Amino acid sequence: MVRGMRNDLTMTTVGRKTGRPRRTEHAFDLDGERLVLVGVGSEQGPRLPGWYRDLMVHPDAEILVGRESFQVKAHTAQGAERRRLWKKVVAKEPIYQRYADSARGEVPVVVLEKA
């Protein structure tokens, strides 16, 4: 798997309201074998992104990285895990800190582990 925050993946989640597949593209970082996403929302308001809200209802998703496809289970990092991962992603992509500084709440850090 490719290393670094500018890696891209396509994630297919289950819509929390519709139950239909929803595809989104993301930059990700790695934490060992786990994928890490930052849940940045709309710049027009405090809403969390739809893909994040979908994962909180249906934490199982399908990931495509390059030609590799696999199933994952998502959780939101909390406490020490979140602080460690936040520091790591902000060191690679400082724009996340600027976003967090203007956000109304804590920006979620999402961990995806192979199922």
Side-chain angles (χ1 to χ4, degrees), residues 59-114:
D60 297 314
E62 182 178 344
I63 301 298
L64 177 64
V65 178
R67 294 182 181 167
E68 184 183 1
S69 177
F70 50 93
Q71 297 294 312
V72 296
K73 183 170 283 292
H75 75 270
T76 303
Q78 303 290 328
E81 178 187 39
R82 185 197 183 282
R83 287 188 296 276
R84 179 180 63 79
L85 293 173
W86 181 256
K87 183 176 178 180
K88 182 178 176 183
V89 297
V90 167
K92 290 182 181 178
E93 295 292 337
I95 189 81
Y96 288 130
Q97 186 59 56
R98 290 194 297 275
Y99 178 82
D101 291 344
S102 65
R104 293 186 189 173
E106 185 173 83
V107 174
V109 176
V110 179
V111 178
L112 305 174
E113 298 188 69
K114 285 187 178 180

Side-chain angles (χ1 to χ4, degrees), residues 1-112:
M1 194 175 293
V2 190
R3 304 274 173 201
M5 193 66 195
R6 288 305 336 150
N7 295 327
D8 294 318
L9 62 80
T10 300
M11 178 169 58
T12 303
T13 58
V14 175
R16 68 196 172 284
K17 294 180 182 176
T18 66
R20 295 183 181 153
R22 293 183 56 172
R23 280 196 185 94
T24 51
E25 293 185 8
H26 304 271
F28 69 92
D29 195 13
L30 288 170
D31 183 50
E33 293 296 313
R34 306 179 320 160
L35 305 173
V36 179
L37 306 179
V38 177
V40 292
S42 168
E43 292 185 14
Q44 287 87 26
R47 292 188 68 140
L48 293 169
W51 63 265
Y52 174 74
R53 291 179 287 147
D54 290 342
L55 283 175
M56 295 307 95
V57 174
H58 303 286
D60 297 314
E62 182 178 344
I63 301 298
L64 177 64
V65 178
R67 294 182 181 167
E68 184 183 1
S69 177
F70 50 93
Q71 297 294 312
V72 296
K73 183 170 283 292
H75 75 270
T76 303
Q78 303 290 328
E81 178 187 39
R82 185 197 183 282
R83 287 188 296 276
R84 179 180 63 79
L85 293 173
W86 181 256
K87 183 176 178 180
K88 182 178 176 183
V89 297
V90 167
K92 290 182 181 178
E93 295 292 337
I95 189 81
Y96 288 130
Q97 186 59 56
R98 290 194 297 275
Y99 178 82
D101 291 344
S102 65
R104 293 186 189 173
E106 185 173 83
V107 174
V109 176
V110 179
V111 178
L112 305 174

